[in-house]
Amino acid sequence: MRDTALPAAVAASLLVLAGCQSAERAAARHDADAPAAAVATVAAAPNVVTVHAMDFAFQMPDTIAAGMTTFHLVNDGPGLHHAVIVRLDSAKTPADLEQALKTPGAWPRWAPMIGGPNAVDPHADANATLAMAPGNYAIICLVDLPGGVPHFAKGMVHPLTVAASTGPSAAAPAADEVVTLTDYHFALSTPLTAGSHTFEVQNHAAQPHEVAMIQLAPGKTANDALQWLQKPNGPPPGRVMGGSAPAVPGAPVYFTMNVTPGQYLLMCFVPDPKDGKPHFMHGMMQTVMVS
Ligand SMILES: [Cu+2]
């Protein structure tokens, strides 16, 4: 039986081999068809773009593909930085934006802010996910600590071209906490709990707003934070943890954050066109206790 069984086994493995080869050929043919087939499917996850911020520059790609995109901000320090995504309409360029921001006055209408990862402590990271349409953009830092000169005036302006993409765009992240922004208020859809959360930020106001998340150090209060902002001497009274950078009303901005128990401050620093005062001075500042 052995004598006949062996050739049978060899024959069987040859059949398997032949089967594999035709499967590989089939797979190769399938690959050739794949780009057309992929258009109909949805990409599993957003594109990820890493943005390094430092005193005073951004290091990041010049061109990305359109679609749902997660901007991962890594603050190399030593200062506090964020990455505000500004859409450049009317064929304006990052140089036009730099020029316009040198002139005091209203924010240029052709340069709507659409979100981005908000300010985060040095040597920490933050993220924001949003749908990026093809076009021209600039990434800028509006933080003016310390010294009151906004970082974009020190070189933190980076051009970004978003190229049309034929591939699928990922679906929007599934959020478990919706933050609605109005003049001048934050509304949470559900009480904030400890743990990892996906936030969806919706601006329902006419002007831009942001969510800056600050975890107060034990024993520190919102007043301590306000005093530090006016005179940033000594260590800050908490951790600056990210959030969503200023955005005009429109598509939502998503961010993820691991929330640990403590007292949080939600703040908006966007200056109001009426009086130039930051929105937190109009009441857009909220304390949230997480147990
Ligand atoms: Cu605001």
Side-chain angles (χ1 to χ4, degrees), residues 14-33:
L14 283 171
L15 274 174
V16 169
L17 194 62
C20 283
Q21 282 169 345
S22 63
E24 275 166 22
R25 280 195 295 270
R29 280 197 302 274
H30 186 76
D31 280 352
D33 295 340

Side-chain angles (χ1 to χ4, degrees), residues 81-118:
H81 300 294
H82 63 177
V84 183
I85 303 165
V86 178
R87 196 180 71 225
L88 299 172
D89 295 340
S90 313
K92 298 289 187 181
T93 66
D96 293 330
L97 180 64
E98 281 185 80
Q99 194 55 43
L101 294 182
K102 277 179 191 159
T103 320
W107 188 269
R109 282 188 170 277
W110 44 263
M113 297 183 275
I114 60 163
N118 215 347

Side-chain angles (χ1 to χ4, degrees), residues 184 208-210 268-270 279 284:
Y184 301 92
H209 291 294
E210 69 182 319
C268 180
F269 293 86
V270 171
H279 288 168
M284 209 161 174

